[in-house]
Amino acid sequence: MAMRPEWLDDGAVILRGHATAHAARMIAEIRRIACLAPFRRMTTPGGGVMSVAMTCCGARGWCSDARGYRYVAVDPRTGQPWPAMPETWRGLAITAARAAGYDGFEPDSCLINGYRPGARMGLHQDRDERSDAPVVSVSFGLPAIFQWGGVRRTDPLRRIPLLHGDVVIWGGASRYVFHGIAPLRAGAHAVTGSCRYNLTFRRTL
Ligand code: MD3
Ligand code: FE
């Protein structure tokens, strides 16, 4: 697989289209995972309901409810452990991290976000992981506008399109930047239909 890393910013690297060849298989695996751990829209501590639907695989999964945000080993919705992370997913995340200069990445969790038209993710930092290892993100389906700020909420935002197959590695100085996803525009994608998926590989401990 050809990899042409583009440096986005300190610590942030994008591999455009790196996952495209794996899309059909990975989307089938997302659907299989969702049979065991269904996509659900979580409640936030503020009492809202997220517009993005989520599920997880791996040793721990992210969850949000009235009590706050945390990683848990058992899916609160099913009472079962999260489905295993497919070995090929883990390999892709480790290889992408290495290409970005992060050797030894050992993801133990993958958060799977499902976006329908209109779904968005407000500006936030990812701070629920105990490790400061990088986060590797993989996008499939409809394009999204990624909003990328700085370490202060009020820092100016850049907008970068994330397209089907794009892989981004966020580490070092980029690990705790504020970021979000603008409301998804309606469309039809050949592989996912009217949907966008984003996978984020994380080290939670
Ligand atoms: C930069 N997901 O799940 S992926 C998230 O497309 C999340 O669903 C978005 O933000 C999505 O937390 C954006 C890009 C991304 C993911 C995690 C990051 C960028 C990041 C963590 C730290 C810094
Ligand atoms: Fe995030």
Side-chain angles (χ1 to χ4, degrees):
M1 163 90 37
M3 281 198 267
R4 294 171 222 84
E6 289 172 47
W7 265 255
L8 280 182
D9 202 347
D10 282 354
V13 173
I14 183 162
L15 302 165
R16 287 276 182 205
H18 177 61
T20 309
H22 307 281
R25 172 180 48 79
M26 291 181 74
I27 290 159
E29 288 164 333
I30 291 170
R31 291 180 178 141
R32 184 176 52 72
I33 288 166
C35 291
L36 303 169
F39 278 101
R40 79 292 306 265
R41 289 170 59 195
M42 297 187 197
T43 301
T44 61
V49 176
M50 300 180 77
S51 57
V52 178
M54 298 175 165
T55 186
C56 300
C57 64
R60 273 166 292 283
W62 186 80
C63 86
S64 172
D65 61 18
R67 288 162 47 211
Y69 308 134
R70 62 203 169 280
Y71 282 94
V72 292
V74 166
D75 178 353
R77 200 59 68 103
T78 65
Q80 296 296 123
W82 297 101
M85 187 188 302
E87 201 53 44
T88 51
W89 293 22
R90 185 172 165 275
L92 185 148
I94 290 171
T95 303
R98 187 180 304 119
Y102 300 105
D103 277 321
F105 180 51
E106 281 288 347
D108 60 3
S109 176
C110 178
L111 173 62
I112 306 169
N113 294 332
Y115 291 76
R116 295 283 172 187
R120 60 188 289 278
M121 190 172 286
L123 206 61
H124 68 280
Q125 291 169 300
D126 287 31
R127 325 186 43 128
D128 302 320
E129 303 76 25
R130 292 187 197 163
S131 160
D132 54 17
V135 173
V136 174
S137 90
V138 180
S139 294
F140 289 124
L142 292 177
I145 303 293
F146 178 69
Q147 303 166 321
W148 181 19
V151 292
R152 279 176 290 265
R153 183 176 284 281
T154 52
D155 286 338
L157 297 180
R158 287 165 61 181
R159 285 170 179 75
I160 34 177
L162 290 181
L163 309 179
H164 182 71
D166 286 349
V167 177
V168 193
I169 303 92
W170 317 84
S174 293
R175 177 63 181 79
Y176 296 106
V177 299
F178 279 90
H179 59 277
I181 293 285
L184 195 76
R185 288 191 50 177
H189 189 276
V191 186
T192 64
S194 62
C195 180
R196 170 176 188 261
Y197 295 111
N198 180 264
L199 281 52
T200 44
F201 294 88
R202 299 143 185 276
R203 178 80 201 172
T204 65
L205 293 180

PDB file of all heavy atoms in Angstrom, residues 3 18 85 87-107 136 169 201:
ATOM      1  N   MET A   3       1.918   4.879   0.709  1.00  0.00           N
ATOM      2  CA  MET A   3       1.532   5.837   1.748  1.00  0.00           C
ATOM      3  C   MET A   3       2.298   7.122   1.529  1.00  0.00           C
ATOM      4  O   MET A   3       3.521   7.128   1.549  1.00  0.00           O
ATOM      5  CB  MET A   3       1.836   5.273   3.128  1.00  0.00           C
ATOM      6  CG  MET A   3       0.782   4.285   3.569  1.00  0.00           C
ATOM      7  SD  MET A   3       0.822   4.025   5.322  1.00  0.00           S
ATOM      8  CE  MET A   3       1.884   2.622   5.395  1.00  0.00           C
ATOM      9  N   HIS A  18      -5.918   6.093   2.380  1.00  0.00           N
ATOM     10  CA  HIS A  18      -5.161   4.907   2.823  1.00  0.00           C
ATOM     11  C   HIS A  18      -6.052   3.691   3.089  1.00  0.00           C
ATOM     12  O   HIS A  18      -5.608   2.553   2.939  1.00  0.00           O
ATOM     13  CB  HIS A  18      -4.361   5.263   4.079  1.00  0.00           C
ATOM     14  CG  HIS A  18      -3.604   4.113   4.652  1.00  0.00           C
ATOM     15  ND1 HIS A  18      -2.631   3.447   3.939  1.00  0.00           N
ATOM     16  CD2 HIS A  18      -3.688   3.483   5.843  1.00  0.00           C
ATOM     17  CE1 HIS A  18      -2.147   2.464   4.683  1.00  0.00           C
ATOM     18  NE2 HIS A  18      -2.777   2.467   5.834  1.00  0.00           N
ATOM     19  N   MET A  85     -12.072  -6.312  18.580  1.00  0.00           N
ATOM     20  CA  MET A  85     -11.576  -5.478  17.483  1.00  0.00           C
ATOM     21  C   MET A  85     -10.983  -6.411  16.414  1.00  0.00           C
ATOM     22  O   MET A  85     -10.090  -7.201  16.726  1.00  0.00           O
ATOM     23  CB  MET A  85     -10.493  -4.527  17.996  1.00  0.00           C
ATOM     24  CG  MET A  85     -10.037  -3.512  16.949  1.00  0.00           C
ATOM     25  SD  MET A  85      -8.602  -2.542  17.466  1.00  0.00           S
ATOM     26  CE  MET A  85      -9.173  -1.773  18.965  1.00  0.00           C
ATOM     27  N   GLU A  87      -8.669  -8.075  13.907  1.00  0.00           N
ATOM     28  CA  GLU A  87      -7.196  -8.010  13.859  1.00  0.00           C
ATOM     29  C   GLU A  87      -6.707  -7.137  12.699  1.00  0.00           C
ATOM     30  O   GLU A  87      -5.706  -6.424  12.825  1.00  0.00           O
ATOM     31  CB  GLU A  87      -6.650  -9.438  13.759  1.00  0.00           C
ATOM     32  CG  GLU A  87      -5.216  -9.593  14.184  1.00  0.00           C
ATOM     33  CD  GLU A  87      -4.923  -9.031  15.567  1.00  0.00           C
ATOM     34  OE1 GLU A  87      -5.711  -9.251  16.509  1.00  0.00           O
ATOM     35  OE2 GLU A  87      -3.885  -8.339  15.691  1.00  0.00           O
ATOM     36  N   THR A  88      -7.436  -7.171  11.576  1.00  0.00           N
ATOM     37  CA  THR A  88      -7.033  -6.343  10.425  1.00  0.00           C
ATOM     38  C   THR A  88      -7.191  -4.855  10.727  1.00  0.00           C
ATOM     39  O   THR A  88      -6.421  -4.034  10.223  1.00  0.00           O
ATOM     40  CB  THR A  88      -7.877  -6.689   9.187  1.00  0.00           C
ATOM     41  OG1 THR A  88      -9.266  -6.646   9.554  1.00  0.00           O
ATOM     42  CG2 THR A  88      -7.524  -8.070   8.658  1.00  0.00           C
ATOM     43  N   TRP A  89      -8.181  -4.490  11.546  1.00  0.00           N
ATOM     44  CA  TRP A  89      -8.370  -3.081  11.926  1.00  0.00           C
ATOM     45  C   TRP A  89      -7.189  -2.623  12.776  1.00  0.00           C
ATOM     46  O   TRP A  89      -6.632  -1.549  12.575  1.00  0.00           O
ATOM     47  CB  TRP A  89      -9.648  -2.879  12.734  1.00  0.00           C
ATOM     48  CG  TRP A  89     -10.933  -3.098  12.003  1.00  0.00           C
ATOM     49  CD1 TRP A  89     -11.132  -3.828  10.869  1.00  0.00           C
ATOM     50  CD2 TRP A  89     -12.210  -2.580  12.395  1.00  0.00           C
ATOM     51  NE1 TRP A  89     -12.460  -3.803  10.535  1.00  0.00           N
ATOM     52  CE2 TRP A  89     -13.143  -3.056  11.445  1.00  0.00           C
ATOM     53  CE3 TRP A  89     -12.651  -1.788  13.458  1.00  0.00           C
ATOM     54  CZ2 TRP A  89     -14.499  -2.730  11.526  1.00  0.00           C
ATOM     55  CZ3 TRP A  89     -13.994  -1.471  13.546  1.00  0.00           C
ATOM     56  CH2 TRP A  89     -14.908  -1.931  12.583  1.00  0.00           C
ATOM     57  N   ARG A  90      -6.856  -3.468  13.764  1.00  0.00           N
ATOM     58  CA  ARG A  90      -5.748  -3.162  14.658  1.00  0.00           C
ATOM     59  C   ARG A  90      -4.458  -2.972  13.843  1.00  0.00           C
ATOM     60  O   ARG A  90      -3.710  -2.018  14.056  1.00  0.00           O
ATOM     61  CB  ARG A  90      -5.619  -4.315  15.664  1.00  0.00           C
ATOM     62  CG  ARG A  90      -4.619  -4.116  16.731  1.00  0.00           C
ATOM     63  CD  ARG A  90      -4.719  -5.245  17.779  1.00  0.00           C
ATOM     64  NE  ARG A  90      -3.517  -5.202  18.584  1.00  0.00           N
ATOM     65  CZ  ARG A  90      -2.378  -5.790  18.242  1.00  0.00           C
ATOM     66  NH1 ARG A  90      -2.300  -6.516  17.145  1.00  0.00           N
ATOM     67  NH2 ARG A  90      -1.320  -5.646  19.004  1.00  0.00           N
ATOM     68  N   GLY A  91      -4.240  -3.880  12.882  1.00  0.00           N
ATOM     69  CA  GLY A  91      -3.050  -3.795  12.033  1.00  0.00           C
ATOM     70  C   GLY A  91      -3.020  -2.501  11.234  1.00  0.00           C
ATOM     71  O   GLY A  91      -1.977  -1.844  11.134  1.00  0.00           O
ATOM     72  N   LEU A  92      -4.166  -2.114  10.689  1.00  0.00           N
ATOM     73  CA  LEU A  92      -4.226  -0.877   9.904  1.00  0.00           C
ATOM     74  C   LEU A  92      -3.886   0.331  10.782  1.00  0.00           C
ATOM     75  O   LEU A  92      -3.126   1.214  10.385  1.00  0.00           O
ATOM     76  CB  LEU A  92      -5.609  -0.723   9.282  1.00  0.00           C
ATOM     77  CG  LEU A  92      -5.833   0.450   8.337  1.00  0.00           C
ATOM     78  CD1 LEU A  92      -6.850   0.082   7.260  1.00  0.00           C
ATOM     79  CD2 LEU A  92      -6.289   1.705   9.064  1.00  0.00           C
ATOM     80  N   ALA A  93      -4.433   0.346  11.998  1.00  0.00           N
ATOM     81  CA  ALA A  93      -4.195   1.487  12.902  1.00  0.00           C
ATOM     82  C   ALA A  93      -2.721   1.557  13.314  1.00  0.00           C
ATOM     83  O   ALA A  93      -2.124   2.642  13.360  1.00  0.00           O
ATOM     84  CB  ALA A  93      -5.090   1.379  14.138  1.00  0.00           C
ATOM     85  N   ILE A  94      -2.123   0.403  13.607  1.00  0.00           N
ATOM     86  CA  ILE A  94      -0.714   0.370  14.024  1.00  0.00           C
ATOM     87  C   ILE A  94       0.189   0.819  12.878  1.00  0.00           C
ATOM     88  O   ILE A  94       1.121   1.611  13.069  1.00  0.00           O
ATOM     89  CB  ILE A  94      -0.344  -1.051  14.513  1.00  0.00           C
ATOM     90  CG1 ILE A  94      -1.051  -1.345  15.848  1.00  0.00           C
ATOM     91  CG2 ILE A  94       1.165  -1.226  14.631  1.00  0.00           C
ATOM     92  CD1 ILE A  94      -0.937  -2.792  16.310  1.00  0.00           C
ATOM     93  N   THR A  95      -0.109   0.332  11.654  1.00  0.00           N
ATOM     94  CA  THR A  95       0.694   0.696  10.475  1.00  0.00           C
ATOM     95  C   THR A  95       0.579   2.190  10.180  1.00  0.00           C
ATOM     96  O   THR A  95       1.572   2.850   9.863  1.00  0.00           O
ATOM     97  CB  THR A  95       0.228  -0.134   9.264  1.00  0.00           C
ATOM     98  OG1 THR A  95       0.343  -1.523   9.593  1.00  0.00           O
ATOM     99  CG2 THR A  95       1.053   0.168   8.037  1.00  0.00           C
ATOM    100  N   ALA A  96      -0.644   2.725  10.294  1.00  0.00           N
ATOM    101  CA  ALA A  96      -0.844   4.156  10.034  1.00  0.00           C
ATOM    102  C   ALA A  96      -0.099   4.990  11.076  1.00  0.00           C
ATOM    103  O   ALA A  96       0.563   5.984  10.733  1.00  0.00           O
ATOM    104  CB  ALA A  96      -2.335   4.491  10.058  1.00  0.00           C
ATOM    105  N   ALA A  97      -0.176   4.583  12.340  1.00  0.00           N
ATOM    106  CA  ALA A  97       0.528   5.333  13.388  1.00  0.00           C
ATOM    107  C   ALA A  97       2.032   5.312  13.128  1.00  0.00           C
ATOM    108  O   ALA A  97       2.708   6.343  13.240  1.00  0.00           O
ATOM    109  CB  ALA A  97       0.200   4.746  14.770  1.00  0.00           C
ATOM    110  N   ARG A  98       2.547   4.141  12.728  1.00  0.00           N
ATOM    111  CA  ARG A  98       3.987   4.036  12.473  1.00  0.00           C
ATOM    112  C   ARG A  98       4.384   4.948  11.312  1.00  0.00           C
ATOM    113  O   ARG A  98       5.413   5.621  11.370  1.00  0.00           O
ATOM    114  CB  ARG A  98       4.371   2.580  12.179  1.00  0.00           C
ATOM    115  CG  ARG A  98       5.871   2.380  12.078  1.00  0.00           C
ATOM    116  CD  ARG A  98       6.271   0.927  11.786  1.00  0.00           C
ATOM    117  NE  ARG A  98       5.745   0.007  12.767  1.00  0.00           N
ATOM    118  CZ  ARG A  98       4.908  -1.001  12.489  1.00  0.00           C
ATOM    119  NH1 ARG A  98       4.525  -1.210  11.240  1.00  0.00           N
ATOM    120  NH2 ARG A  98       4.481  -1.782  13.441  1.00  0.00           N
ATOM    121  N   ALA A  99       3.552   5.000  10.258  1.00  0.00           N
ATOM    122  CA  ALA A  99       3.853   5.856   9.100  1.00  0.00           C
ATOM    123  C   ALA A  99       3.901   7.323   9.495  1.00  0.00           C
ATOM    124  O   ALA A  99       4.565   8.132   8.843  1.00  0.00           O
ATOM    125  CB  ALA A  99       2.812   5.643   8.008  1.00  0.00           C
ATOM    126  N   ALA A 100       3.180   7.669  10.566  1.00  0.00           N
ATOM    127  CA  ALA A 100       3.156   9.051  11.036  1.00  0.00           C
ATOM    128  C   ALA A 100       4.255   9.316  12.065  1.00  0.00           C
ATOM    129  O   ALA A 100       4.341  10.423  12.607  1.00  0.00           O
ATOM    130  CB  ALA A 100       1.789   9.373  11.643  1.00  0.00           C
ATOM    131  N   GLY A 101       5.051   8.294  12.350  1.00  0.00           N
ATOM    132  CA  GLY A 101       6.168   8.471  13.286  1.00  0.00           C
ATOM    133  C   GLY A 101       5.873   8.020  14.698  1.00  0.00           C
ATOM    134  O   GLY A 101       6.683   8.250  15.594  1.00  0.00           O
ATOM    135  N   TYR A 102       4.719   7.373  14.906  1.00  0.00           N
ATOM    136  CA  TYR A 102       4.364   6.882  16.248  1.00  0.00           C
ATOM    137  C   TYR A 102       4.530   5.369  16.283  1.00  0.00           C
ATOM    138  O   TYR A 102       3.624   4.614  15.916  1.00  0.00           O
ATOM    139  CB  TYR A 102       2.926   7.285  16.609  1.00  0.00           C
ATOM    140  CG  TYR A 102       2.706   8.782  16.609  1.00  0.00           C
ATOM    141  CD1 TYR A 102       2.013   9.405  15.584  1.00  0.00           C
ATOM    142  CD2 TYR A 102       3.221   9.572  17.634  1.00  0.00           C
ATOM    143  CE1 TYR A 102       1.817  10.778  15.579  1.00  0.00           C
ATOM    144  CE2 TYR A 102       3.035  10.940  17.646  1.00  0.00           C
ATOM    145  CZ  TYR A 102       2.327  11.544  16.605  1.00  0.00           C
ATOM    146  OH  TYR A 102       2.145  12.897  16.602  1.00  0.00           O
ATOM    147  N   ASP A 103       5.695   4.933  16.711  1.00  0.00           N
ATOM    148  CA  ASP A 103       5.947   3.499  16.847  1.00  0.00           C
ATOM    149  C   ASP A 103       5.328   3.000  18.136  1.00  0.00           C
ATOM    150  O   ASP A 103       5.223   3.745  19.114  1.00  0.00           O
ATOM    151  CB  ASP A 103       7.455   3.225  16.875  1.00  0.00           C
ATOM    152  CG  ASP A 103       8.029   3.155  15.467  1.00  0.00           C
ATOM    153  OD1 ASP A 103       7.359   2.602  14.581  1.00  0.00           O
ATOM    154  OD2 ASP A 103       9.141   3.683  15.264  1.00  0.00           O
ATOM    155  N   GLY A 104       4.926   1.729  18.146  1.00  0.00           N
ATOM    156  CA  GLY A 104       4.474   1.106  19.387  1.00  0.00           C
ATOM    157  C   GLY A 104       3.057   1.451  19.786  1.00  0.00           C
ATOM    158  O   GLY A 104       2.669   1.232  20.931  1.00  0.00           O
ATOM    159  N   PHE A 105       2.256   1.975  18.863  1.00  0.00           N
ATOM    160  CA  PHE A 105       0.850   2.256  19.175  1.00  0.00           C
ATOM    161  C   PHE A 105       0.126   0.926  19.395  1.00  0.00           C
ATOM    162  O   PHE A 105       0.208   0.025  18.563  1.00  0.00           O
ATOM    163  CB  PHE A 105       0.216   3.037  18.023  1.00  0.00           C
ATOM    164  CG  PHE A 105      -1.233   3.403  18.214  1.00  0.00           C
ATOM    165  CD1 PHE A 105      -1.663   4.037  19.373  1.00  0.00           C
ATOM    166  CD2 PHE A 105      -2.171   3.130  17.219  1.00  0.00           C
ATOM    167  CE1 PHE A 105      -3.003   4.389  19.540  1.00  0.00           C
ATOM    168  CE2 PHE A 105      -3.505   3.480  17.371  1.00  0.00           C
ATOM    169  CZ  PHE A 105      -3.920   4.116  18.536  1.00  0.00           C
ATOM    170  N   GLU A 106      -0.575   0.818  20.514  1.00  0.00           N
ATOM    171  CA  GLU A 106      -1.316  -0.419  20.852  1.00  0.00           C
ATOM    172  C   GLU A 106      -2.755  -0.050  21.188  1.00  0.00           C
ATOM    173  O   GLU A 106      -3.117   0.088  22.355  1.00  0.00           O
ATOM    174  CB  GLU A 106      -0.661  -1.134  22.047  1.00  0.00           C
ATOM    175  CG  GLU A 106       0.576  -1.927  21.674  1.00  0.00           C
ATOM    176  CD  GLU A 106       0.243  -3.197  20.872  1.00  0.00           C
ATOM    177  OE1 GLU A 106      -0.934  -3.600  20.815  1.00  0.00           O
ATOM    178  OE2 GLU A 106       1.186  -3.769  20.292  1.00  0.00           O
ATOM    179  N   PRO A 107      -3.610   0.120  20.162  1.00  0.00           N
ATOM    180  CA  PRO A 107      -4.992   0.517  20.450  1.00  0.00           C
ATOM    181  C   PRO A 107      -5.727  -0.587  21.205  1.00  0.00           C
ATOM    182  O   PRO A 107      -5.567  -1.773  20.894  1.00  0.00           O
ATOM    183  CB  PRO A 107      -5.592   0.731  19.058  1.00  0.00           C
ATOM    184  CG  PRO A 107      -4.777  -0.126  18.151  1.00  0.00           C
ATOM    185  CD  PRO A 107      -3.378  -0.122  18.727  1.00  0.00           C
ATOM    186  N   VAL A 136      -6.002   7.441  16.009  1.00  0.00           N
ATOM    187  CA  VAL A 136      -6.010   7.203  14.560  1.00  0.00           C
ATOM    188  C   VAL A 136      -7.459   7.181  14.102  1.00  0.00           C
ATOM    189  O   VAL A 136      -8.267   6.416  14.650  1.00  0.00           O
ATOM    190  CB  VAL A 136      -5.317   5.862  14.210  1.00  0.00           C
ATOM    191  CG1 VAL A 136      -5.457   5.555  12.714  1.00  0.00           C
ATOM    192  CG2 VAL A 136      -3.841   5.893  14.608  1.00  0.00           C
ATOM    193  N   ILE A 169      -3.869  10.718  11.719  1.00  0.00           N
ATOM    194  CA  ILE A 169      -3.220  10.369  12.974  1.00  0.00           C
ATOM    195  C   ILE A 169      -2.989  11.673  13.737  1.00  0.00           C
ATOM    196  O   ILE A 169      -2.392  12.614  13.204  1.00  0.00           O
ATOM    197  CB  ILE A 169      -1.870   9.649  12.729  1.00  0.00           C
ATOM    198  CG1 ILE A 169      -2.086   8.401  11.865  1.00  0.00           C
ATOM    199  CG2 ILE A 169      -1.235   9.255  14.061  1.00  0.00           C
ATOM    200  CD1 ILE A 169      -1.941   8.629  10.373  1.00  0.00           C
ATOM    201  N   PHE A 201      -9.344   4.856  16.641  1.00  0.00           N
ATOM    202  CA  PHE A 201      -8.575   3.869  17.401  1.00  0.00           C
ATOM    203  C   PHE A 201      -7.853   4.587  18.520  1.00  0.00           C
ATOM    204  O   PHE A 201      -7.175   5.591  18.276  1.00  0.00           O
ATOM    205  CB  PHE A 201      -7.581   3.166  16.480  1.00  0.00           C
ATOM    206  CG  PHE A 201      -8.261   2.331  15.440  1.00  0.00           C
ATOM    207  CD1 PHE A 201      -8.637   2.883  14.221  1.00  0.00           C
ATOM    208  CD2 PHE A 201      -8.573   1.004  15.686  1.00  0.00           C
ATOM    209  CE1 PHE A 201      -9.289   2.119  13.267  1.00  0.00           C
ATOM    210  CE2 PHE A 201      -9.223   0.232  14.741  1.00  0.00           C
ATOM    211  CZ  PHE A 201      -9.589   0.787  13.525  1.00  0.00           C
TER     212      PHE A 201
END
